[in-house]
Amino acid sequence: MDYENIRVETRGRVALVTLHRPAALNALCNALIAELNHALDGYEADAGIGCIVITGSEKAFAAGADIREMQDRTHPEFYMADPFGEWDKVGRRRKPIIAAVAGYALGGGCELALMCDFILAADTAKFGQPEIKLGVIPGAGGTQRLTRAVGKAKAMELCLTGRMMDAAEAERSGLVARVVPAADLLAEAMKAAETIASMSLPAVMVAKESVDRAFETTLTEGIRYERRVFYGLFATHDQKEGMSAFVEKRKPNFENR
Ligand code: CO8
C-alpha cells in the first residue's frame, strides 16, 4: 500500500516505518497517525514480522502534533473527534517497537517516541515538551510517560519551561536506551531490531507486556504476574528449543510458537 505521510519497508523480520512529511518536520497530522496505525495493524497480524522500527529524518523525528491542523479546533470538536484515541493505539501495540530518533522529537513527537518500547537516539537528537509555549500542555501522554521515564524534577522542568534536552542529557536521565553517532542511527536500530526479531516472538511479546506491567501495578502484583507468564512460556515450543539448544551447545531455531 502507498502512503502519503510515511514510508514503509520490510527487511527480513523487521519492519521499518519512516515518518515522511519533510516540509513540516514530520509534524504528526491525523492522516499520518492513521497511516502509521494502518501499517502497524498489518505488522501485528503478520507472523513474519518480529520487530518494528519507527524513525524520521536527519532533522526531525517529529516536531510535534500538527499545530496548523489543531489551531482552530473547538473544545466540542476535539472532544467528539478524540484524536488521541488514535495516538493511544500506537502505545498499545503488542509487538516490540523501537524509536530511532535523530533531530527534533518535540511535543507529540517526543510522546510518540515514548509510546515505543525504547528509544535509540542519534547524538543530534533533541527532546522536549514545548506545548506550554503554545498555551497548552502535552496531550498524548507526555506528562505521564515522560515523568515515569525521567522522574518528576526533570519532567516538570521540561513541561513547565518547554526547554529542549539534548541526547546526552536524555541518556543520563533514562529517556533513551543509548546514544549513537547520527550516521550510525538506522544501522544500530536495525541491528537491535534484528536481534529482537531473531528471538522467540511469544517470549518477546510476554517480556514487553511484563516490563510494561511494572508501570501499571504494585511490585507484589507485578512479580506475581511475571511469575505466571514465565511458567506459561513452558507451554511453548520455543522454550523447549531454546533450552535444548543451550544444553546441546548449538544455536536455537525458534519457530515463534
Ligand atoms: N506543526 C505544524 N508545522 C510545523 C510543526 C508543527 N508541530 N513544526 C514545524 N512545522 C513546520 C513549520 O511551520 C515550517 O513550515 P513552513 O516552512 O511552511 O513555514 C516547517 O515545519 C519548518 O519549520 P521551521 O521553519 O520552524 O524550522 P526551524 O528549523 O526554524 O525550527 C523547530 C524547528 C524548533 C522544531 C520549530 O519548527 C518548532 O518550534 N516547531 C514546533 C514545535 C512544537 O511546538 N511542538 C509541539 C506541538 S503541540 C503537540 O505536539 C501536542 C501533542 C498532543 C497530541 C495532539 C493529538 C491531536
Side-chain angles (χ1 to χ4, degrees):
M1 161 139 187
D2 282 341
Y3 294 114
E4 210 177 304
N5 301 289
I6 60 173
R7 301 277 181 269
V8 294
E9 64 180 281
T10 299
R11 299 186 194 169
R13 289 179 51 74
V14 176
L16 173 63
V17 179
T18 305
L19 308 177
H20 188 71
R21 282 191 82 205
L25 299 183
N26 293 333
L28 302 164
C29 58
N30 292 335
L32 187 153
I33 295 294
E35 289 182 2
L36 177 59
N37 274 318
H38 184 273
L40 294 176
D41 283 344
Y43 300 140
E44 291 263 273
D46 182 348
I49 296 296
C51 190
I52 299 137
V53 174
I54 301 180
T55 195
S57 69
E58 264 177 41
K59 184 161 182 198
F61 177 73
D66 191 318
I67 298 168
R68 286 197 170 89
E69 195 176 59
M70 270 188 300
Q71 64 174 345
D72 294 325
R73 287 263 193 175
T74 63
H75 173 261
E77 276 170 12
F78 234 137
Y79 180 78
M80 297 308 286
D82 191 24
F84 299 112
E86 271 300 303
W87 287 61
D88 270 353
K89 287 185 193 163
V90 180
R92 289 201 305 269
R93 298 290 165 180
R94 300 181 72 213
K95 286 186 181 173
I97 307 180
I98 301 172
V101 174
Y104 297 112
L106 301 178
C110 187
E111 292 168 308
L112 175 62
L114 280 159
M115 285 176 202
C116 298
D117 296 305
F118 62 90
I119 303 173
L120 283 187
D123 49 12
T124 58
K126 289 191 170 67
F127 298 88
Q129 299 290 162
E131 289 90 342
I132 198 76
K133 296 182 187 173
L134 301 170
V136 291
I137 67 166
T143 63
Q144 304 303 302
R145 289 196 180 94
L146 184 68
T147 306
R148 282 165 168 77
V150 304
K152 177 182 169 182
K154 206 167 277 285
M156 196 65 98
E157 190 203 1
L158 292 175
C159 290
L160 295 186
T161 67
R163 87 163 171 90
M164 290 184 220
M165 164 155 92
D166 67 16
E169 185 181 358
E171 187 179 29
R172 277 200 309 278
S173 325
L175 177 59
V176 310
R178 210 148 42 87
V179 178
V180 299
D184 301 339
L185 177 66
L186 191 57
E188 287 290 335
M190 291 304 286
K191 199 159 79 178
E194 279 154 18
T195 300
I196 293 167
S198 74
M199 307 295 177
S200 164
L201 185 56
V204 163
M205 289 171 68
V206 157
K208 166 173 168 151
E209 204 178 330
S210 299
V211 173
D212 283 341
R213 189 53 72 105
F215 295 96
E216 304 283 354
T217 191
T218 62
L219 181 61
T220 305
E221 279 308 315
I223 286 172
R224 203 194 312 269
Y225 181 82
E226 178 193 73
R227 195 170 302 165
R228 285 276 174 269
V229 293
F230 177 89
Y231 294 152
L233 286 170
F234 282 70
T236 65
H237 168 276
D238 285 344
Q239 173 272 322
K240 299 287 176 283
E241 169 60 13
M243 293 196 177
S244 302
F246 177 82
V247 171
E248 292 161 18
K249 300 189 188 301
R250 60 174 175 82
K251 276 195 165 170
N253 179 23
F254 292 125
E255 289 183 3
N256 294 314
R257 63 188 169 85

